[in-house]
């Protein structure tokens, strides 16, 4: 970074010749790049922990709420900036961000963005995903600079007050709460309120898992997330509403100021997410450019808005919403026109329909590799969804604006409320219909990061061919596909030789997966086979991600919860009662205390403890001398912790799935 700065200073003082004209721009790029790296490193370092946090004792803290609280069934989730009191200097020292879970009651429900609280808790580091291919809390919140979490009971905290001077962002959220009350007062309830509040105001507190799943499966998830599309619809509305100002003196300037002001007010009310910030910034630059009598270049506007956002927060580069937003806009800028010109649609209706299809295709082509990498599914009817849902979304936004703006006039607001209820209901029915179509979504797609890069290289080379019509671009396209085929073949060869044992973390459930190549055998509780949907979801995800083609699920016990005593030959896994033989490894699953007559030692490689048996680690070590002990999640927390401490004293390797997450053993 210092070298880039010195080079930049040199080229600014010395005018380079024509052939070195690229040098100043290149040095500016290097300087900005290293400034971004230094900023990220300074913001993402794990904060130091004082001696109080290393003990089990709770620590007194003061905290400011940085985001609107999220309400769950039993808790109120807060992201806060935590401060410790320096008694010597009588000042607050910022200790970084933290994730707090407050017990749900009337006091915690009343908290708002910007409030200050004081309380005590024992903060712990956020852990990685508990199971393979599951949600990773440490990675997700780490991008926000949050590395610690804690539970706070209702008696261990109190609100110390609200800020003396409300920030613009706090005022925006207070105003959003008032607008949400307007929607509730106009008979919007249940799923209608959930969808309307998400589309209009960016409030997702009422969106349930079933509703979210339906929108994701139909390819309409971008409708719920306030993004550039919503800001664009608002821009068109304001352009039409304020069009009369063009005929007045200085009217164009007044119109531009009002439009920019209204767009940013809406952006703040909806939470100022990266896609909304990007759209508001781009439209502001576009409006100001047109008002100044210039024709802005769209690509320069996109690059300029990205630069401003990354200067403000370099970590946005790793946010999925930021990536989706700019990939979609870039795809539309480069691919919309060539796709639209492929077919000459006759008539206004068909032309507008084909324009909408071209827009959807351009955005989908530029984002689907990232969507597969991040969400592992693909909506097959996304074109049908956009054709039906986008016009309905526009009507929902227009009716919502009318309702919120004309709420003081009951006669008019009632008509807009009825229209909003009708269009939101129609939107929900349409999404549900598309989700219910056969083959509406393809799931279980788990491309690796190299796969995603290869897909984008193929799209870029194919897009360049489409834009330039030069056959030379077909060569890199074919080369990329050849490299992808070779990479995939090598990965399949490696996969055929793998042997992996996984003990999953599912509360109160024993579930073990033995994978050899593309075959897999799962041993699990008899009850969990039929009554534990989360365990089955984890297993299905794991099999899809690991490309398992043949699988078998076998209960660990019979209906009476007794182990099977007969011998079972499960292909590469042999079983008799609690004893397993897998790839020359001897495994014992202990679910009861050792019998009194068990005096002779039996050396095994792995012991899995399940069902909270009355046994000690010393007895296990004396009878089995295992290389590894695994405590599965069907055991009690107290026993698991005691066993873990005893194993550490005896020097026996022990993995507690309850505390440390899933146990994964790769024997090849």
């Amino acid at each position: 970074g210092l070298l880039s700065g010195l080079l930049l200073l040199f080229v600014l003082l010395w005018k380079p010749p024509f052939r070195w004209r690229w040098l100043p721009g290149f040095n500016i790029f290097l300087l900005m790049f290293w400034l971004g790296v230094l900023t990220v490193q300074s913001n993402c370092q794990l904060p130091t922990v004082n001696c109080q946090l290393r003990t089990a004792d709770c620590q007194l803290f003061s905290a400011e709420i940085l985001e609107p609280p999220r309400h769950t069934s039993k808790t109120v989730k807060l992201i806060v900036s935590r401060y410790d009191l320096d008694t010597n200097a009588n000042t607050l020292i910022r200790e970084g961000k933290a994730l707090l879970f407050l017990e749900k009651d009337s006091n915690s429900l009343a908290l708002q963005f910007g409030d200050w609280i004081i309380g005590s808790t024992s903060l712990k580091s956020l852990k990685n995903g508990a199971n393979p291919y599951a949600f990773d809390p440490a990675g997700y919140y780490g991008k926000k600079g949050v590395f610690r979490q804690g539970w706070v009971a209702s008696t261990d905290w109190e609100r110390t007050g609200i800020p003396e001077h409300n920030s613009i962002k706090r005022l925006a959220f207070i105003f959003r709460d008032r607008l949400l009350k307007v929607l509730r007062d106009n008979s919007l309830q249940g799923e209608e309120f959930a969808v309307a509040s998400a589309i209009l105001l960016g409030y997702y507190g009422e969106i349930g898992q079933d509703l979210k799943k339906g929108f994701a499966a139909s390819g309409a998830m971008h409708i719920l997330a306030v993004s550039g599309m919503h800001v664009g619809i608002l821009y068109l509305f304001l352009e039409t509403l304020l069009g009369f100002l063009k005929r007045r003196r200085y009217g164009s300037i007044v119109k531009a100021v009002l439009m920019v002001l209204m767009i940013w007010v809406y952006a703040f009310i909806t939470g100022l997410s990266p896609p909304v910030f990007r759209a508001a910034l781009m439209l502001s630059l576009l409006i100001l450019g047109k008002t100044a009598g210039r024709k802005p270049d769209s690509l320069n506007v996109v690059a300029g808005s990205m630069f401003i956002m990354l200067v403000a927060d370099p970590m946005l580069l790793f946010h999925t919403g930021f990536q989706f937003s700019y990939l979609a806009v870039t795809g539309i800028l480069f691919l919309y026109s060539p796709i639209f010109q492929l077919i000459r649609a006759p008539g206004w209706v068909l032309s507008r329909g084909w324009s909408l299809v071209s827009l959807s295709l351009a955005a989908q082509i530029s984002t689907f590799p990232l969507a597969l990498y991040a969400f592992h599914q693909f909506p097959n009817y996304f074109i049908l969804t956009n054709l039906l849902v986008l016009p309905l979304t526009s009507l929902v936004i227009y009716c919502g604006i009318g309702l919120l703006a004309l709420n003081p006039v009951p006669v008019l607001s009632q008509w807009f409320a009825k229209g909003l209820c009708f269009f939101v209901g129609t939107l929900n029915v349409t999404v549900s219909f598309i989700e219910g179509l056969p083959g509406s979504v393809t799931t279980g797609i788990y491309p690796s990061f190299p796969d995603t890069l290869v897909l984008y290289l193929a799209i870029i080379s194919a897009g360049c061919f489409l834009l330039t019509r030069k056959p030379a671009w077909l060569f890199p396209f074919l080369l990329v596909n050849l490299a992808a085929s070779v990479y995939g073949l090598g990965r399949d060869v490696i996969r055929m030789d793998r042997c992996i044992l996984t003990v999953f973390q599912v509360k109160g459930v024993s579930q073990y997966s033995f994978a050899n190549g593309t075959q897999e055998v799962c041993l699990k509780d008899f009850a969990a086979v039929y009554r534990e949907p989360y365990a089955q979801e984890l297993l299905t995800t794991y099999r899809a991600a690991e490309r398992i083609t043949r699988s078998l699920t076998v209960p660990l016990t019979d209906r009476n919860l007794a182990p099977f005593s007969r011998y079972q030959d499960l292909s590469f896994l042999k079983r008799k009662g609690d004893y397993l033989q897998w790839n020359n490894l001897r495994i014992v699953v202990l679910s009861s205390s050792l019998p009194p007559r068990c005096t002779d030692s039996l050396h095994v490689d792995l012991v899995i403890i399940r069902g909270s048996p009355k046994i000690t680690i010393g007895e296990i070590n004396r009878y089995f001398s295992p290389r590894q002990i695994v405590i599965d999640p069907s055991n009690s927390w107290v026993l698991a912790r005691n066993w873990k401490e005893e194993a550490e004293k005896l020097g026996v390797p022990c993995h507690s799935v309850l505390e440390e997450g899933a146990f994964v053993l790769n024997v090849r």
Side-chain angles (χ1 to χ4, degrees), residues 352-398:
R352 297 303 297 175
W354 173 238
S355 174
L356 191 59
V357 171
S358 302
L359 192 70
S360 301
L361 284 173
Q364 196 71 43
I365 289 172
S366 59
T367 58
F368 90 89
L370 180 61
L372 296 182
Y373 181 74
F375 304 119
H376 316 297
Q377 65 180 24
F378 184 78
N380 297 319
Y381 302 129
F382 69 92
I383 294 179
L384 176 64
T385 299
N386 287 327
L387 282 174
L388 298 178
V389 166
L390 289 181
L392 286 172
T393 304
S394 300
L395 294 172
V396 167
I397 293 177
Y398 292 146

Side-chain angles (χ1 to χ4, degrees), residues 18-75:
F18 181 76
R19 64 174 182 171
W20 298 101
R21 65 189 183 280
W22 53 269
L23 194 57
F26 180 72
N27 280 283
I28 291 174
F29 166 77
L30 287 179
L31 181 62
M32 293 300 175
F33 176 80
W34 284 112
L35 286 176
V37 170
L38 293 174
T39 303
V40 170
Q41 288 179 345
S42 62
N43 290 335
C44 292
Q45 289 178 351
L46 190 65
T48 56
V49 187
N50 57 36
C51 58
Q52 291 176 295
L53 284 179
R54 292 194 183 99
T55 67
D57 299 331
C58 293
Q59 179 193 10
L60 188 67
F61 67 90
S62 182
E64 179 188 12
I65 301 176
L66 298 179
E67 294 185 7
R70 294 290 182 94
H71 302 157
T72 63
S73 58
K74 297 182 180 180
T75 64

Side-chain angles (χ1 to χ4, degrees), residues 204-342:
Y204 309 109
E206 305 289 334
I207 298 291
Q209 289 298 324
D210 292 337
L211 191 62
K212 188 183 297 184
K213 181 180 177 182
F215 272 79
S218 62
M221 196 64 190
H222 61 287
I223 301 298
L224 294 180
V226 176
S227 60
M229 182 194 72
H230 301 72
V231 182
I233 293 174
L234 177 64
Y235 167 78
L236 294 176
F237 176 79
L238 294 174
E239 180 75 27
T240 304
L241 182 67
L242 302 176
F244 69 93
L245 291 175
K246 290 183 179 180
R247 298 188 294 269
R248 300 180 179 274
R249 188 180 181 183
Y250 305 115
S252 59
I253 298 177
V254 175
K255 176 188 172 186
V257 172
L258 290 176
M259 289 182 67
V260 171
L261 180 63
M262 293 300 294
I263 286 173
W264 280 103
V265 167
Y266 178 72
F268 272 97
I269 290 174
T270 56
L272 208 65
S273 64
V276 173
F277 188 90
R278 187 267 311 162
L281 188 57
M282 285 181 57
L283 287 175
S284 299
L285 295 175
L286 188 66
I287 292 170
L288 295 176
K290 285 186 175 181
T291 305
R294 302 193 175 204
K295 186 179 179 181
D297 183 84
S298 300
L299 194 58
N300 285 338
V301 172
V302 172
S305 65
M306 180 186 292
F307 175 78
I308 294 173
M309 291 182 69
L310 290 178
V311 166
D313 185 4
M315 286 302 295
L316 283 177
L317 186 62
F318 304 101
H319 285 216
T320 305
F322 178 87
Q323 295 166 0
F324 268 107
S325 179
Y326 277 98
L327 283 173
V329 171
T330 305
I332 290 171
L333 288 177
F334 281 101
L335 299 178
Y336 167 73
S337 183
I339 294 175
F340 181 73
Q341 293 174 2
L342 291 175

